[in-house]
Coordinates of all heavy atoms in Angstrom, one line a residue:
M1 N 33.5 40.2 16.2 CA 34.4 40.8 15.2 C 35.8 41.0 15.9 O 35.9 41.4 17.0 CB 33.9 42.1 14.7 CG 32.7 42.0 13.9 SD 32.5 43.5 12.9 CE 31.5 42.9 11.6
A2 N 36.9 40.9 15.1 CA 38.2 41.1 15.6 C 38.5 42.6 15.5 O 38.0 43.3 14.7 CB 39.2 40.3 14.8
D3 N 39.4 43.0 16.4 CA 39.9 44.4 16.3 C 41.3 44.5 15.7 O 42.2 43.8 16.2 CB 39.9 44.9 17.8 CG 40.4 46.4 17.9 OD1 40.4 47.0 16.9 OD2 40.8 46.7 19.0
I4 N 41.5 45.3 14.7 CA 42.8 45.4 14.1 C 43.2 46.9 14.1 O 44.0 47.3 13.3 CB 42.8 44.8 12.7 CG1 41.8 45.6 11.8 CG2 42.6 43.4 12.6 CD1 42.0 45.3 10.3
A5 N 42.7 47.6 15.1 CA 43.0 49.1 15.1 C 44.5 49.4 15.2 O 44.9 50.4 14.9 CB 42.3 49.7 16.3
G6 N 45.3 48.4 15.7 CA 46.7 48.7 15.9 C 47.6 48.5 14.7 O 48.8 48.6 14.8
I7 N 47.0 48.0 13.6 CA 47.8 47.8 12.4 C 48.4 49.1 11.8 O 47.7 50.0 11.7 CB 47.0 47.0 11.3 CG1 46.7 45.6 11.8 CG2 47.8 46.9 10.0 CD1 45.8 44.9 10.8
A8 N 49.7 49.1 11.6 CA 50.4 50.3 11.1 C 51.1 50.1 9.8 O 51.6 49.0 9.6 CB 51.3 50.8 12.2
T9 N 51.1 51.1 9.0 CA 51.8 51.0 7.7 C 53.3 50.5 7.9 O 53.8 49.8 7.1 CB 51.7 52.3 7.0 OG1 50.4 52.7 6.9 CG2 52.3 52.2 5.6
A10 N 53.9 51.0 8.9 CA 55.3 50.7 9.2 C 55.5 49.1 9.4 O 56.5 48.6 9.4 CB 55.8 51.4 10.4
G11 N 54.4 48.4 9.7 CA 54.4 47.0 9.9 C 54.6 46.2 8.7 O 54.7 45.0 8.8
L12 N 54.5 46.8 7.6 CA 54.7 46.1 6.3 C 56.0 45.4 6.2 O 57.0 46.0 6.2 CB 54.5 47.0 5.1 CG 54.6 46.4 3.7 CD1 53.5 45.4 3.4 CD2 54.5 47.5 2.6
I13 N 56.1 44.1 6.2 CA 57.3 43.4 6.2 C 57.5 42.3 5.1 O 58.5 41.8 4.9 CB 57.6 42.7 7.6 CG1 56.6 41.7 7.9 CG2 57.8 43.8 8.6 CD1 57.0 40.9 9.2
Q14 N 56.3 42.0 4.4 CA 56.4 41.1 3.3 C 55.4 41.4 2.3 O 54.3 41.8 2.6 CB 56.3 39.6 3.8 CG 56.4 38.6 2.6 CD 56.6 37.2 3.2 OE1 56.6 36.9 4.4 NE2 56.6 36.3 2.3
H15 N 55.8 41.2 1.0 CA 54.9 41.5 -0.1 C 55.1 40.5 -1.1 O 56.2 40.1 -1.5 CB 55.3 42.9 -0.7 CG 54.5 43.4 -1.8 ND1 53.3 44.0 -1.5 CD2 54.7 43.4 -3.1 CE1 52.8 44.3 -2.7 NE2 53.6 44.0 -3.7
A16 N 54.0 39.8 -1.5 CA 54.0 38.7 -2.5 C 53.0 39.0 -3.6 O 51.9 39.5 -3.3 CB 53.7 37.4 -1.8
Q17 N 53.3 38.6 -4.8 CA 52.4 38.8 -5.9 C 51.9 37.4 -6.4 O 52.7 36.5 -6.4 CB 53.0 39.6 -7.0 CG 53.4 41.0 -6.6 CD 53.5 41.9 -7.8 OE1 53.3 41.5 -8.9 NE2 53.6 43.2 -7.5
P18 N 50.6 37.4 -6.9 CA 50.1 36.1 -7.3 C 50.8 35.6 -8.6 O 51.3 36.4 -9.4 CB 48.6 36.5 -7.6 CG 48.6 37.9 -7.8 CD 49.7 38.5 -7.0
A19 N 50.7 34.4 -8.9 CA 51.3 33.8 -10.0 C 50.5 34.0 -11.3 O 51.0 34.0 -12.4 CB 51.6 32.3 -9.8
M20 N 49.2 34.1 -11.2 CA 48.3 34.2 -12.3 C 47.3 35.3 -12.1 O 46.9 35.6 -10.9 CB 47.6 32.9 -12.7 CG 46.7 32.4 -11.7 SD 45.9 30.9 -12.2 CE 46.9 29.7 -11.3
A21 N 46.8 35.9 -13.2 CA 45.8 37.0 -13.0 C 44.4 36.4 -13.1 O 44.1 35.5 -13.8 CB 46.0 38.0 -14.1
E22 N 43.5 36.9 -12.2 CA 42.1 36.6 -12.3 C 41.4 37.7 -11.5 O 42.0 38.7 -11.1 CB 41.8 35.2 -11.6 CG 42.2 35.1 -10.2 CD 41.9 33.7 -9.6 OE1 40.7 33.5 -9.2 OE2 42.8 32.9 -9.6
S23 N 40.1 37.7 -11.5 CA 39.3 38.7 -10.8 C 39.3 38.6 -9.3 O 38.7 37.8 -8.8 CB 37.9 38.7 -11.3 OG 37.1 39.7 -10.7
F24 N 40.2 39.4 -8.7 CA 40.4 39.4 -7.3 C 39.4 40.3 -6.5 O 39.3 40.2 -5.3 CB 41.8 39.7 -6.9 CG 42.8 38.6 -7.4 CD1 43.6 38.9 -8.4 CD2 42.9 37.4 -6.7 CE1 44.5 37.9 -8.8 CE2 43.8 36.5 -7.1 CZ 44.6 36.7 -8.2
G25 N 38.8 41.2 -7.2 CA 38.0 42.1 -6.5 C 38.7 43.3 -6.1 O 39.9 43.5 -6.4
N26 N 38.1 44.3 -5.4 CA 38.8 45.5 -5.0 C 38.6 45.8 -3.5 O 38.7 47.0 -3.2 CB 38.3 46.7 -5.9 CG 36.8 46.9 -5.7 OD1 36.1 46.2 -5.0 ND2 36.3 47.9 -6.4
K27 N 38.4 44.8 -2.7 CA 38.3 45.0 -1.3 C 39.4 44.3 -0.5 O 39.8 43.3 -1.0 CB 36.9 44.5 -0.8 CG 35.7 45.3 -1.4 CD 34.4 45.0 -0.7 CE 33.4 45.9 -1.3 NZ 32.1 45.7 -0.6
F28 N 39.7 44.9 0.6 CA 40.7 44.3 1.4 C 40.1 43.1 2.3 O 39.0 43.3 2.8 CB 41.3 45.3 2.4 CG 42.1 46.3 1.6 CD1 41.7 47.6 1.5 CD2 43.4 46.0 1.1 CE1 42.4 48.6 0.8 CE2 44.1 47.0 0.4 CZ 43.6 48.2 0.3
T29 N 40.9 42.1 2.4 CA 40.5 40.9 3.3 C 41.6 40.8 4.3 O 42.8 40.7 4.0 CB 40.3 39.6 2.5 OG1 39.3 39.8 1.5 CG2 39.9 38.5 3.5
V30 N 41.2 40.7 5.6 CA 42.2 40.6 6.7 C 42.2 39.1 7.0 O 41.2 38.4 7.2 CB 41.8 41.4 7.9 CG1 42.8 41.2 9.0 CG2 41.7 42.9 7.5
V31 N 43.4 38.5 7.0 CA 43.6 37.1 7.3 C 44.5 36.9 8.5 O 45.6 37.5 8.6 CB 44.2 36.4 6.1 CG1 44.5 34.9 6.4 CG2 43.3 36.6 4.9
E32 N 44.1 36.0 9.4 CA 45.0 35.7 10.6 C 45.7 34.4 10.3 O 45.0 33.4 9.9 CB 44.2 35.5 11.8 CG 45.0 35.2 13.0 CD 44.1 35.0 14.3 OE1 43.4 34.0 14.4 OE2 44.2 35.9 15.1
V33 N 47.0 34.3 10.4 CA 47.8 33.2 10.1 C 48.4 32.6 11.4 O 48.9 33.4 12.3 CB 48.9 33.5 9.1 CG1 49.8 32.3 8.8 CG2 48.3 34.0 7.8
T34 N 48.4 31.3 11.6 CA 49.0 30.7 12.7 C 50.1 29.8 12.3 O 50.0 28.9 11.4 CB 48.0 29.8 13.5 OG1 46.9 30.6 13.9 CG2 48.6 29.2 14.8
G35 N 51.3 30.0 12.8 CA 52.5 29.3 12.5 C 52.7 28.1 13.3 O 51.9 27.8 14.2
D36 N 53.8 27.3 13.0 CA 54.1 26.1 13.8 C 54.3 26.4 15.3 O 54.0 25.5 16.1 CB 55.3 25.4 13.2 CG 55.1 24.9 11.8 OD1 54.0 24.6 11.4 OD2 56.1 24.8 11.1
D37 N 54.7 27.6 15.6 CA 55.0 27.9 17.0 C 53.7 28.4 17.7 O 53.8 28.9 18.8 CB 56.1 29.0 17.1 CG 55.8 30.2 16.4 OD1 54.6 30.3 15.8 OD2 56.6 31.1 16.3
E38 N 52.6 28.3 17.0 CA 51.3 28.7 17.6 C 51.1 30.3 17.6 O 50.1 30.8 18.1 CB 51.0 28.1 18.9 CG 50.8 26.6 18.9 CD 49.7 26.1 17.9 OE1 48.6 26.6 17.9 OE2 50.0 25.1 17.2
K39 N 52.1 31.0 17.2 CA 52.0 32.5 17.2 C 51.2 32.9 16.0 O 51.3 32.2 14.9 CB 53.4 33.1 17.2 CG 54.2 33.0 18.5 CD 55.5 33.7 18.5 CE 56.2 33.5 19.8 NZ 57.5 34.2 19.7
T40 N 50.5 34.0 16.1 CA 49.7 34.4 15.0 C 50.2 35.7 14.3 O 50.9 36.4 14.9 CB 48.2 34.7 15.5 OG1 48.2 35.8 16.4 CG2 47.5 33.5 16.0
Q41 N 49.9 35.8 13.1 CA 50.3 36.9 12.3 C 49.0 37.5 11.6 O 48.1 36.7 11.4 CB 51.3 36.6 11.2 CG 52.5 36.0 11.7 CD 53.4 35.5 10.5 OE1 53.0 35.5 9.3 NE2 54.6 35.1 10.8
V42 N 49.0 38.7 11.3 CA 47.9 39.3 10.5 C 48.4 39.7 9.1 O 49.5 40.4 9.0 CB 47.3 40.5 11.2 CG1 46.2 41.2 10.4 CG2 46.7 40.2 12.6
W43 N 47.7 39.2 8.1 CA 48.1 39.5 6.7 C 46.9 40.2 6.1 O 45.7 40.2 6.5 CB 48.2 38.2 6.0 CG 49.6 37.6 6.3 CD1 49.9 37.0 7.5 CD2 50.7 37.4 5.4 NE1 51.2 36.6 7.4 CE2 51.7 36.8 6.1 CE3 50.9 37.8 4.1 CZ2 52.9 36.5 5.5 CZ3 52.1 37.5 3.5 CH2 53.1 36.8 4.2
L44 N 47.2 41.0 5.1 CA 46.2 41.8 4.4 C 46.3 41.4 2.9 O 47.3 41.2 2.3 CB 46.5 43.3 4.5 CG 45.5 44.3 3.8 CD1 44.2 44.3 4.5 CD2 46.2 45.6 3.8
A45 N 45.1 41.2 2.2 CA 45.1 40.8 0.8 C 44.1 41.7 0.1 O 43.0 42.0 0.7 CB 44.6 39.3 0.7
L46 N 44.4 42.1 -1.0 CA 43.4 42.9 -1.9 C 42.8 41.8 -2.8 O 43.2 41.5 -3.9 CB 44.2 43.9 -2.7 CG 43.2 44.8 -3.5 CD1 42.2 45.5 -2.6 CD2 44.0 45.9 -4.2
A47 N 41.9 41.1 -2.2 CA 41.2 39.9 -2.9 C 40.0 39.5 -2.1 O 39.8 39.9 -0.9 CB 42.2 38.7 -2.9
K48 N 39.2 38.7 -2.8 CA 38.0 38.2 -2.2 C 38.4 37.2 -1.1 O 39.5 36.6 -1.2 CB 37.1 37.5 -3.2 CG 36.6 38.4 -4.3 CD 36.0 37.6 -5.5 CE 35.7 38.6 -6.6 NZ 35.3 37.8 -7.8
P49 N 37.6 37.0 -0.1 CA 38.0 36.2 1.1 C 38.5 34.8 0.7 O 39.6 34.4 1.2 CB 36.7 36.1 1.9 CG 36.0 37.3 1.6 CD 36.3 37.6 0.2
R50 N 37.9 34.0 -0.2 CA 38.3 32.7 -0.5 C 39.7 32.8 -1.2 O 40.6 32.0 -0.9 CB 37.4 32.0 -1.4 CG 37.8 30.6 -1.8 CD 36.8 29.9 -2.7 NE 35.8 29.3 -1.8 CZ 34.7 28.7 -2.3 NH1 34.4 28.7 -3.6 NH2 33.9 28.2 -1.5
Q51 N 39.8 33.7 -2.1 CA 41.1 33.9 -2.8 C 42.2 34.4 -1.9 O 43.4 34.0 -2.0 CB 40.9 34.9 -4.0 CG 40.0 34.4 -5.0 CD 39.6 35.6 -5.9 OE1 39.4 36.6 -5.5 NE2 39.4 35.2 -7.2
A52 N 41.8 35.3 -0.9 CA 42.8 35.8 0.1 C 43.4 34.6 0.9 O 44.6 34.6 1.1 CB 42.1 36.8 1.0
L53 N 42.6 33.6 1.3 CA 43.1 32.5 2.0 C 44.2 31.8 1.2 O 45.3 31.5 1.6 CB 42.0 31.6 2.4 CG 41.2 31.9 3.6 CD1 40.1 30.9 3.8 CD2 42.1 32.0 4.9
T54 N 43.9 31.5 -0.1 CA 44.8 30.8 -1.0 C 46.1 31.6 -1.2 O 47.2 31.1 -1.1 CB 44.1 30.5 -2.3 OG1 42.9 29.7 -2.0 CG2 45.1 29.8 -3.2
L55 N 46.0 32.9 -1.4 CA 47.1 33.8 -1.6 C 48.0 33.8 -0.5 O 49.3 33.8 -0.6 CB 46.7 35.1 -2.0 CG 46.0 35.2 -3.4 CD1 45.2 36.6 -3.6 CD2 47.0 35.0 -4.6
V56 N 47.4 34.0 0.7 CA 48.2 34.2 1.9 C 48.9 32.8 2.2 O 50.1 32.8 2.6 CB 47.4 34.6 3.2 CG1 48.1 34.5 4.5 CG2 47.0 36.1 2.9
L57 N 48.1 31.7 2.1 CA 48.8 30.4 2.4 C 49.9 30.1 1.4 O 50.9 29.5 1.8 CB 47.7 29.3 2.4 CG 46.8 29.2 3.6 CD1 45.6 28.3 3.3 CD2 47.6 28.8 4.8
A58 N 49.8 30.6 0.2 CA 51.0 30.4 -0.7 C 52.2 31.3 -0.3 O 53.3 30.9 -0.7 CB 50.5 30.8 -2.1
A59 N 52.0 32.3 0.5 CA 53.1 33.2 0.9 C 53.7 32.7 2.2 O 54.8 33.3 2.6 CB 52.6 34.6 1.0
V60 N 53.1 31.8 3.0 CA 53.7 31.5 4.3 C 54.2 30.0 4.2 O 54.0 29.3 3.2 CB 52.6 31.6 5.4 CG1 52.1 33.0 5.5 CG2 51.5 30.6 5.2
P61 N 55.0 29.6 5.1 CA 55.6 28.2 5.1 C 54.5 27.2 5.1 O 53.4 27.4 5.6 CB 56.4 28.2 6.4 CG 56.7 29.6 6.7 CD 55.6 30.4 6.3
K62 N 54.8 26.1 4.5 CA 53.9 24.9 4.4 C 53.5 24.4 5.7 O 54.3 24.4 6.7 CB 54.6 23.8 3.6 CG 53.7 22.7 3.3 CD 54.4 21.6 2.5 CE 53.5 20.4 2.2 NZ 54.2 19.4 1.4
G63 N 52.2 24.2 5.9 CA 51.7 23.6 7.1 C 51.1 24.6 8.1 O 50.4 24.3 9.1
W64 N 51.3 25.9 7.8 CA 50.6 27.0 8.6 C 49.2 27.0 8.2 O 48.8 26.6 7.1 CB 51.3 28.3 8.3 CG 52.8 28.4 8.9 CD1 53.6 27.4 9.2 CD2 53.4 29.6 9.2 NE1 54.7 27.9 9.7 CE2 54.7 29.3 9.7 CE3 53.1 31.0 9.1 CZ2 55.6 30.2 10.2 CZ3 54.0 31.9 9.6 CH2 55.2 31.5 10.1
T65 N 48.4 27.6 9.1 CA 46.9 27.7 8.8 C 46.5 29.1 8.8 O 47.2 30.0 9.3 CB 46.1 27.0 10.0 OG1 46.4 27.5 11.2 CG2 46.5 25.5 10.0
A66 N 45.3 29.4 8.1 CA 44.9 30.7 8.0 C 43.4 30.8 8.1 O 42.7 29.8 7.7 CB 45.4 31.3 6.7
K67 N 42.9 31.9 8.6 CA 41.4 32.1 8.6 C 41.1 33.6 8.3 O 41.9 34.4 8.7 CB 40.7 31.6 9.8 CG 41.2 32.5 11.1 CD 40.4 32.0 12.3 CE 40.9 32.8 13.5 NZ 40.2 32.3 14.8
V68 N 40.0 33.8 7.6 CA 39.6 35.2 7.3 C 39.0 35.7 8.6 O 38.2 35.1 9.3 CB 38.5 35.2 6.2 CG1 38.0 36.6 6.1 CG2 39.2 34.8 4.9
L69 N 39.4 37.0 8.9 CA 38.9 37.7 10.1 C 37.7 38.6 9.5 O 37.9 39.4 8.6 CB 39.9 38.6 10.7 CG 41.1 37.8 11.4 CD1 42.0 38.9 12.0 CD2 40.6 36.8 12.4
E70 N 36.6 38.5 10.2 CA 35.4 39.3 9.8 C 35.5 40.6 10.5 O 35.2 40.7 11.7 CB 34.1 38.5 10.2 CG 33.9 37.2 9.5 CD 33.7 37.3 8.0 OE1 33.2 38.4 7.5 OE2 34.2 36.5 7.2
V71 N 36.1 41.6 9.8 CA 36.3 42.9 10.4 C 35.7 44.0 9.6 O 35.7 43.9 8.3 CB 37.8 43.2 10.7 CG1 38.4 42.2 11.6 CG2 38.6 43.2 9.4
E72 N 35.3 45.0 10.3 CA 34.8 46.2 9.6 C 35.9 47.2 9.6 O 36.4 47.6 10.7 CB 33.6 46.9 10.3 CG 32.3 46.1 10.1 CD 31.6 46.5 8.9 OE1 31.8 47.6 8.3 OE2 30.9 45.6 8.3
L73 N 36.5 47.6 8.5 CA 37.6 48.5 8.4 C 37.1 49.9 8.7 O 36.0 50.4 8.1 CB 38.3 48.5 7.1 CG 39.0 47.2 6.8 CD1 39.6 47.3 5.4 CD2 40.0 46.8 7.8
T74 N 37.7 50.7 9.5 CA 37.4 52.1 9.7 C 37.8 52.9 8.5 O 38.7 52.4 7.7 CB 38.1 52.6 11.0 OG1 39.5 52.7 10.7 CG2 37.8 51.8 12.2
P75 N 37.3 54.1 8.3 CA 37.8 54.9 7.1 C 39.3 55.1 7.3 O 39.9 55.1 6.2 CB 37.0 56.2 7.3 CG 35.7 55.8 8.0 CD 36.1 54.6 9.0
K76 N 39.8 55.3 8.5 CA 41.2 55.6 8.6 C 42.0 54.3 8.2 O 43.0 54.4 7.5 CB 41.5 55.9 10.1 CG 43.0 56.2 10.3 CD 43.2 56.6 11.7 CE 44.7 57.0 12.0 NZ 44.9 57.3 13.4
Q77 N 41.6 53.1 8.6 CA 42.3 51.9 8.2 C 42.2 51.7 6.7 O 43.2 51.3 6.1 CB 41.6 50.7 8.9 CG 42.0 50.6 10.4 CD 41.1 49.6 11.1 OE1 39.9 49.4 10.8 NE2 41.6 49.0 12.1
Q78 N 41.0 51.9 6.2 CA 40.8 51.8 4.7 C 41.8 52.6 4.0 O 42.5 52.2 3.0 CB 39.4 52.1 4.3 CG 39.1 52.0 2.8 CD 39.0 50.5 2.3 OE1 38.7 49.6 3.1 NE2 39.3 50.3 1.0
Q79 N 42.0 53.9 4.4 CA 42.8 54.8 3.7 C 44.3 54.4 3.8 O 45.1 54.4 2.9 CB 42.7 56.2 4.3 CG 43.6 57.3 3.7 CD 43.5 58.7 4.3 OE1 42.7 58.9 5.1 NE2 44.3 59.6 3.9
M80 N 44.6 53.9 5.1 CA 46.0 53.5 5.3 C 46.4 52.3 4.4 O 47.4 52.3 3.8 CB 46.2 53.1 6.8 CG 47.6 52.6 7.2 SD 47.7 52.2 8.9 CE 46.5 50.9 9.2
F81 N 45.4 51.4 4.3 CA 45.7 50.2 3.5 C 45.7 50.6 2.0 O 46.5 50.1 1.2 CB 44.6 49.1 3.7 CG 44.6 48.5 5.1 CD1 43.4 47.9 5.5 CD2 45.7 48.6 5.9 CE1 43.5 47.3 6.8 CE2 45.7 48.0 7.1 CZ 44.5 47.4 7.6
E82 N 44.9 51.5 1.6 CA 45.0 52.0 0.2 C 46.4 52.6 -0.1 O 46.9 52.5 -1.2 CB 43.9 53.0 -0.1 CG 42.5 52.3 -0.2 CD 41.4 53.3 -0.3 OE1 41.6 54.6 -0.3 OE2 40.2 52.8 -0.3
E83 N 47.0 53.2 0.8 CA 48.3 53.9 0.7 C 49.4 52.8 0.5 O 50.5 53.2 0.1 CB 48.6 54.8 1.9 CG 47.7 56.1 1.9 CD 47.8 56.9 3.1 OE1 48.6 56.6 4.0 OE2 47.2 57.9 3.1
L84 N 49.1 51.6 0.8 CA 50.1 50.5 0.5 C 50.3 50.2 -1.0 O 51.2 49.6 -1.4 CB 49.7 49.2 1.3 CG 49.7 49.3 2.8 CD1 49.1 48.0 3.4 CD2 51.1 49.5 3.3
N85 N 49.3 50.7 -1.7 CA 49.3 50.5 -3.2 C 49.4 49.1 -3.6 O 50.2 48.7 -4.6 CB 50.5 51.4 -3.8 CG 50.3 52.8 -3.7 OD1 49.1 53.3 -3.9 ND2 51.3 53.5 -3.4
L86 N 48.6 48.2 -2.9 CA 48.6 46.9 -3.3 C 47.8 46.7 -4.7 O 46.8 47.4 -4.8 CB 47.9 46.0 -2.3 CG 48.5 45.9 -0.9 CD1 47.7 45.0 0.0 CD2 50.0 45.4 -1.0
A87 N 48.2 45.8 -5.5 CA 47.5 45.5 -6.7 C 46.5 44.4 -6.4 O 46.7 43.6 -5.5 CB 48.4 45.1 -7.8
P88 N 45.4 44.2 -7.2 CA 44.6 43.1 -6.9 C 45.3 41.8 -6.9 O 46.1 41.5 -7.8 CB 43.5 43.2 -8.1 CG 43.5 44.6 -8.4 CD 44.9 45.1 -8.2
G89 N 45.1 41.0 -5.8 CA 45.8 39.8 -5.7 C 47.1 39.8 -4.9 O 47.7 38.8 -4.6
D90 N 47.5 41.0 -4.5 CA 48.7 41.2 -3.7 C 48.3 40.9 -2.2 O 47.2 41.1 -1.8 CB 49.2 42.5 -3.7 CG 50.0 42.9 -5.0 OD1 50.3 42.0 -5.8 OD2 50.4 44.1 -5.2
V91 N 49.3 40.4 -1.4 CA 49.2 40.2 0.0 C 50.4 40.8 0.7 O 51.4 40.9 0.1 CB 49.1 38.7 0.4 CG1 47.9 38.1 -0.3 CG2 50.3 37.9 0.0
C92 N 50.2 41.2 1.9 CA 51.3 41.7 2.7 C 51.1 41.3 4.2 O 49.9 41.3 4.6 CB 51.6 43.1 2.6 SG 50.3 44.2 3.2
R93 N 52.1 41.1 5.0 CA 52.0 40.8 6.4 C 52.1 42.2 7.1 O 52.9 43.1 6.7 CB 53.1 39.9 6.8 CG 53.1 39.6 8.3 CD 54.2 38.7 8.7 NE 54.5 39.0 10.1 CZ 55.6 38.5 10.8 NH1 56.5 37.9 10.1 NH2 55.7 38.8 12.0
V94 N 51.3 42.4 8.1 CA 51.3 43.6 8.8 C 51.5 43.3 10.3 O 51.0 42.2 10.8 CB 50.1 44.5 8.7 CG1 50.0 45.0 7.2 CG2 48.8 43.7 8.9
D95 N 52.1 44.1 11.1 CA 52.3 44.0 12.5 C 51.1 44.7 13.2 O 50.6 45.6 12.7 CB 53.6 44.6 13.0 CG 54.8 43.8 12.5 OD1 54.7 42.6 12.2 OD2 55.9 44.4 12.4
R96 N 50.7 44.1 14.3 CA 49.6 44.7 15.1 C 50.1 45.8 15.9 O 51.2 45.9 16.3 CB 49.0 43.7 16.0 CG 48.4 42.5 15.2 CD 47.6 41.7 16.1 NE 47.9 40.3 15.7 CZ 47.1 39.3 16.0 NH1 46.1 39.5 16.8 NH2 47.3 38.1 15.6

């Protein structure tokens, strides 16, 4: 399991909304994105894992890759993410 304990609300730097509505679920999915420069970013999606990948890839430059991180959110992280007020299907990039 990956550790995302260092993610902070202040790290919110991008927010994208989906183009169409569907049932995204109500759980957060953490996605790691790798850019052309091989640096990684952590993104958060209020969507099911498969949908989260599609949503995040739509928000980053073409050719970047993404994978779902299998993480257990702590109660503190869950509360912090809820305070972002993401709607189902929203994604945002967070700093570690």
Side-chain angles (χ1 to χ4, degrees):
M1 292 202 160
D3 176 21
I4 61 166
I7 293 177
T9 304
L12 179 64
I13 61 172
Q14 183 169 352
H15 182 80
Q17 293 205 357
M20 66 177 97
E22 60 180 278
S23 177
F24 292 105
N26 60 358
K27 292 189 178 185
F28 293 105
T29 300
V30 180
V31 178
E32 181 181 72
V33 176
T34 303
D36 293 336
D37 59 2
E38 299 298 318
K39 291 184 181 178
T40 60
Q41 301 174 352
V42 175
W43 285 68
L44 183 67
L46 187 55
K48 298 170 189 170
R50 179 181 278 172
Q51 294 165 324
L53 281 176
T54 302
L55 294 166
V56 169
L57 285 170
V60 299
K62 184 176 180 179
W64 289 23
T65 60
K67 67 179 179 180
V68 171
L69 297 179
E70 299 293 330
V71 297
E72 287 278 332
L73 298 179
T74 66
K76 183 177 179 180
Q77 290 169 325
Q78 181 72 29
Q79 180 182 356
M80 180 176 59
F81 294 161
E82 288 172 2
E83 290 173 359
L84 294 174
N85 293 320
L86 298 179
D90 283 354
V91 302
C92 68
R93 180 180 155 193
V94 293
D95 291 334
R96 297 187 218 199

